[in-house]
Amino acid sequence: GLITQATMNKFFGVVRNDFLQRDDNLFSGGWNLKVGDERGWQAELDLSYSHVKRTDFVLETYSGYGVNGVGTPDTITYRLSPDGSAGAVFSHTLDYANGSLMRLGMPQGWGMSSDRPYGQNGFVKGPRAEDEIGQARFGVERPYDGFLRRLSAGVVYNTRTKSETESGPNGMEGYFLQLKNGAASAPMPASVGLTDLSFIGMGKMYSYDPLALYNSGFYDKIANNDPARRADNFDVTEDVWTGYAKVDFEHKLGSVPVRGTLGSQVVHTTQKSSGTSISNANGSLTVPVNAKHSYTDFVPTLTLNFQLNEQEVIRLSAARQLARQPMNDMRAGNNFGFDSSKLGSTDPLNSPWSA
């Protein structure tokens, strides 16, 4: 079940002062042409294109009342609101607004290794992503009198390519931050004010400028040489052809007017991806992976509207629907989680869910 209230004794909280900068470059354009007779055949051509390129700079710095579980622990109690609307509300015993009592460092010892004996003191990374989408659509339609009211048909081509790459060495994820000379902790930098977290019960929090601290050369950077992080890099391309036809009709069932639509789509998709597979439990062996998959779906739909009177309408609908996987779930590659007996993977052979 869900634990809605708990108290944690001898708790070493990690206070984070972070910085995020995002640089986006966007371009989009389109062209639309319609020709024909309003009472006869009409044709429409629509072309569109969009491109997004994003670069992030993500900086994390840590502080608190101890280093690697040694220092002054806190007693933290949290409570969840019964309906979940307010999230968690905390109570604590230490003063997180007093920078003279706190230190830069890693209170819980995250990321300990031979070159980080007290854990990581921060982290910096700069993932890059690029997303490109193009579409061409051509359709024709014609109105009619009588039972058949309108006929529409056409073809649509969509292409999309998405890639994500980490900026660390050889495509790995970023750098650990270490205090100079391997120090376990350091005094807090000058305050730029207090951050008010009273709305979750944490009161005022000591705040400083993490970017100024980083740019001053205060930290040493240690490359994150975990090859497993390379599995996060990928590129995926998806090409989708859709042919469609639809008829609108109108009739009477006895004295009840009935309007409806009957249509179908045939959707053919080709997707391909390249990435990296982690092939052993400790993540030291990486293998390039390329994969391709094609499939075709038939998607029919029927809607009916029964006009009982001016204020009451009965609507009936039956259709098959497709829900596509997120692009990053179609990337080629796999990785091991913290439990090396459990393999987490993505699959370029993923097809849409249908219902």
Side-chain angles (χ1 to χ4, degrees):
L2 176 65
I3 300 176
T4 60
Q5 180 176 332
T7 297
M8 295 172 283
N9 298 310
K10 298 181 179 181
F11 182 81
F12 288 89
V14 179
V15 180
R16 289 177 50 166
N17 278 256
D18 296 353
F19 177 83
L20 169 62
Q21 176 177 287
R22 174 163 291 174
D23 182 18
D24 291 321
N25 293 283
L26 299 88
F27 172 82
S28 62
W31 182 69
N32 181 271
L33 174 65
K34 290 183 178 180
V35 296
D37 184 353
E38 290 186 358
R39 296 183 174 275
W41 284 103
Q42 301 176 49
E44 180 179 6
L45 175 65
D46 188 89
L47 305 176
S48 61
Y49 172 82
S50 64
H51 179 266
V52 178
K53 189 174 183 180
R54 188 192 78 225
T55 302
D56 289 347
F57 177 79
V58 183
L59 172 65
E60 304 171 5
T61 64
Y62 313 136
S63 60
Y65 272 86
V67 174
N68 193 21
V70 177
T72 304
D74 200 353
T75 298
I76 296 284
T77 297
Y78 78 85
R79 297 176 179 84
L80 297 178
S81 59
D83 61 359
S85 59
V89 177
F90 301 85
S91 62
H92 56 94
T93 60
L94 297 180
D95 182 6
Y96 291 99
N98 192 339
S100 64
L101 300 178
M102 299 167 62
R103 303 275 292 181
L104 292 172
M106 172 38 66
Q108 295 190 8
W110 298 347
M112 288 181 60
S113 68
S114 59
D115 56 357
R116 300 184 300 279
Y118 303 103
Q120 66 191 70
N121 304 126
F123 196 75
V124 61
K125 62 181 180 178
R128 299 183 293 265
E130 195 165 356
D131 202 342
E132 188 176 31
I133 303 174
Q135 184 188 79
R137 177 170 60 87
F138 177 75
V140 296
E141 64 177 37
R142 178 175 176 173
Y144 290 92
D145 296 324
F147 171 76
L148 182 64
R149 306 300 294 175
R150 183 176 297 273
L151 171 66
S152 306
V155 62
V156 182
Y157 172 68
N158 288 279
T159 181
R160 182 180 181 186
T161 298
K162 183 173 183 177
S163 63
E164 291 189 10
T165 307
E166 293 291 345
S167 61
N170 299 316
M172 298 177 194
E173 186 190 33
Y175 298 84
F176 299 107
L177 300 183
Q178 176 68 54
L179 295 172
K180 292 291 185 181
N181 302 315
S185 66
M188 297 288 279
S191 174
V192 295
L194 299 176
T195 300
D196 190 357
L197 295 182
S198 300
F199 67 97
I200 58 170
M202 291 302 297
K204 308 285 183 156
M205 307 290 288
Y206 188 93
S207 301
Y208 57 86
D209 186 343
L211 183 61
L213 186 68
Y214 173 79
N215 288 336
S216 71
F218 190 83
Y219 294 100
D220 288 330
K221 294 198 313 181
I222 301 175
N224 180 7
N225 289 320
D226 179 5
R229 307 317 308 168
R230 292 178 59 191
D232 296 333
N233 303 326
F234 71 92
D235 67 77
V236 177
T237 298
E238 183 182 57
D239 296 318
V240 182
W241 285 93
T242 303
Y244 68 90
K246 183 184 73 168
V247 292
D248 300 336
F249 55 86
E250 188 172 327
H251 195 56
K252 277 193 174 184
L253 187 61
S255 60
V256 178
V258 180
R259 294 176 291 107
T261 298
L262 175 65
S264 66
Q265 299 181 28
V266 177
V267 184
H268 179 74
T269 303
T270 300
Q271 57 198 43
K272 55 186 178 181
S273 176
S274 62
T276 301
S277 174
I278 309 305
S279 301
N280 61 344
N282 62 18
S284 62
L285 181 61
T286 59
V287 179
V289 177
N290 294 277
K292 184 178 180 180
H293 182 42
S294 296
Y295 54 90
T296 302
D297 292 288
F298 177 66
V299 187
T301 181
L302 171 66
T303 60
L304 296 171
N305 297 280
F306 298 87
Q307 188 75 47
L308 301 183
N309 52 55
E310 291 184 355
Q311 296 181 336
E312 295 180 308
V313 178
I314 295 178
R315 292 186 173 92
L316 301 177
S317 178
R320 185 168 185 256
Q321 296 183 334
L322 301 180
R324 294 191 176 280
Q325 304 274 356
M327 293 290 278
N328 59 335
D329 282 347
M330 297 189 293
R331 70 184 188 269
N334 59 51
N335 195 359
F336 285 85
F338 291 105
D339 183 346
S340 60
S341 67
K342 297 179 181 179
L343 179 67
S345 68
T346 53
D347 190 355
L349 305 184
N350 277 334
S351 301
W353 296 288
S354 61

